[in-house]
Amino acid sequence: MRLAFWNNKKTTTTTTTTTEVKKKKKKSVAREWLDAAVFAIVAATIIRTFFIEAYTIPTGSMEGSLLINDYLFVSKMSYGPRIPMTPLAVPLVHNTMPVTGGKSYSESVQWKYRRLPGFGKVERNDIVVFNYPAGDTVAMEVQQEVDYYTLVRAYGREQVHGMYTIMTRPVDKKENYIKRCVGIPGDKLEVRNGVVYVNDKPGQQFPHSQTSYVVRTNGQPIPTDILDDNEIDQPIVVGNGVFVFTLDPAEVAFIKKQPQVAAVEPYLNKPGETSPNPAEWVYPHDTANFKWNRDNYGPITIPKKGSSIMLTPQNIALYRRIIANYEGNKLEEQSGQFVINGTPTNVYTFKMDYYWMMGDNRHNSADSRYWGFVPEDHVVGKAWFVWLSYGPHGIRWSRLFRGVTTLSE
């Protein structure tokens, strides 16, 4: 408001401004906690998506390099962080809501596969976290014990759908697995009598890798306390004085020295031997054209982006899932002829790189021998270091804050 004062000598103007000083309202304690929680969730989500994420080893498939109840961090930056393909999801939850169950995400928005630049690519013998390739369809009641496709081969699709609740999942919401990459794109891979060969040369042997051995004794078992003191799992009793142990090379040497032991030999499937049980078939689950088993497998060539394959009725089982499921083509097979996206052809060119993943515990690992190739869009990150580990006797102090590469040596 302006006020003017006049006198006979001069005119003086005085201006008075009325300012309302508003005190900023102080946030309530509840509001402060809410703001802090939102900030923490956003920050944790960004870190989890683009930098590092914590995982737990739930099974013995990587023993003895990684042990059950090893807690480790996985680097997303090693291979480049993957942009979420299913962006509408509850933060910090993978695919299932805690307590209530049900999906923790919406499939109403789906983005194409994209990956930001990283420090490098997946290398041979890296320990890698990835989405389980065969996890696009799950039988919810038994998803932790057996995959959907194994159930269908064993019991038939109609019976499985009648017995279980069936759910489908997008790529980035499939279950997470951790294995060692033994083959990279373009590699020729074969398993001969339990030994992995890459490009016709024996693959790297890791000192803690385990497999099964038949141990024959004089009829007496090795005392339980001796096995416990040396952290050797109790064996399966096959017959009088015959046991099956899961051992690494150092444990094999120890068992051979026991006075009651007469012989120790690898427990292997013979070449060309296939199981009559469909649930035990290896990939590509075609025993007519591929008489392979867990110990004698291949040879195969791991698909590489841009490379081409000649398709035949004899080899289509190897590539059918890649063409139709992973790379999203419409594949039709008509009297031995192939039609892809409406075009007759007998040649296919791969759109992505693929990898071959296997567990270090070779006879206790559901890996690529059973479900095939791992597409590049399924790769999550590289196992980095163990930050916590505990076993039956408490915390394993010697494993804390040690790199995964070091623990493999």
Side-chain angles (χ1 to χ4, degrees), residues 119-136:
F119 297 136
K121 294 185 176 181
V122 179
E123 301 289 343
R124 206 177 290 119
N125 297 316
D126 282 358
I127 295 180
V128 181
V129 172
F130 55 92
N131 296 116
Y132 178 40
D136 52 359

Side-chain angles (χ1 to χ4, degrees), residues 59-63 66 178-179 358-362 364-366:
T59 70
S61 69
M62 283 298 295
E63 290 187 344
L66 294 175
I178 184 168
K179 306 289 179 187
M358 292 178 66
D360 284 0
N361 188 344
R362 291 294 162 78
N364 185 28
S365 175

Side-chain angles (χ1 to χ4, degrees), residues 35 92 134 151 165 172 193 234 251 261 282 323-324 394 396:
D35 288 350
L92 308 181
L151 287 171
T165 304
D172 57 340
N193 293 320
Q234 295 297 318
E251 292 167 342
V261 172
V282 296
I323 297 169
R396 305 180 184 113

Side-chain angles (χ1 to χ4, degrees), residues 346-361:
N346 61 353
V347 176
Y348 184 75
T349 300
F350 300 106
K351 302 175 184 177
M352 286 192 289
D353 284 331
Y354 290 81
Y355 302 91
W356 195 261
M357 308 288 187
M358 292 178 66
D360 284 0
N361 188 344

Side-chain angles (χ1 to χ4, degrees), residues 311-313 333-338 345-346:
L311 300 176
T312 70
E333 301 171 52
Q334 302 171 354
S335 303
Q337 300 297 310
F338 305 101
T345 184
N346 61 353

Side-chain angles (χ1 to χ4, degrees), residues 157-332:
R157 186 178 185 278
E158 184 175 341
Q159 185 173 348
V160 170
H161 280 249
M163 294 171 58
Y164 302 108
T165 304
I166 306 302
M167 180 181 291
T168 59
R169 287 176 175 156
V171 170
D172 57 340
K173 295 303 178 182
K174 297 179 182 181
E175 292 296 333
N176 292 315
Y177 270 40
I178 184 168
K179 306 289 179 187
R180 190 180 298 280
C181 176
V182 298
I184 60 176
D187 278 348
K188 176 186 175 183
L189 184 137
E190 186 175 6
V191 182
R192 305 176 196 165
N193 293 320
V195 178
V196 175
Y197 284 75
V198 181
N199 300 323
D200 296 317
K201 297 179 181 178
Q204 184 174 346
Q205 299 291 316
F206 292 89
H208 303 297
S209 297
Q210 298 181 341
T211 191
S212 302
Y213 291 85
V214 176
V215 176
R216 303 181 189 278
T217 71
N218 57 11
Q220 299 299 316
I222 300 172
T224 298
D225 58 341
I226 291 178
L227 297 177
D228 289 343
D229 289 345
N230 290 273
E231 298 184 347
I232 297 175
D233 292 338
Q234 295 297 318
I236 298 172
V237 180
V238 178
N240 184 28
V242 182
F243 307 87
V244 174
F245 281 82
T246 299
L247 304 169
D248 66 27
E251 292 167 342
V252 171
F254 174 81
I255 292 293
K256 286 180 176 179
K257 294 178 181 178
Q258 302 309 302
Q260 58 271 83
V261 172
V264 179
E265 55 192 30
Y267 180 41
L268 301 173
N269 294 132
K270 297 177 181 178
E273 183 178 76
T274 59
S275 172
N277 181 2
E280 297 177 0
W281 291 351
V282 296
Y283 184 83
H285 317 113
D286 176 1
T287 56
N289 293 298
F290 301 92
K291 296 189 179 300
W292 299 343
N293 56 55
R294 64 183 183 181
D295 298 312
N296 290 277
Y297 191 100
I300 58 169
T301 298
I302 300 169
K304 183 177 183 178
K305 183 178 180 179
S307 65
S308 299
I309 187 73
M310 185 73 68
L311 300 176
T312 70
Q314 289 72 41
N315 71 7
I316 187 60
L318 270 176
Y319 306 109
R320 186 182 288 120
R321 187 164 176 80
I322 288 178
I323 297 169
N325 295 67
Y326 301 148
E327 302 198 350
N329 299 288
K330 182 181 179 181
L331 172 65
E332 300 173 275

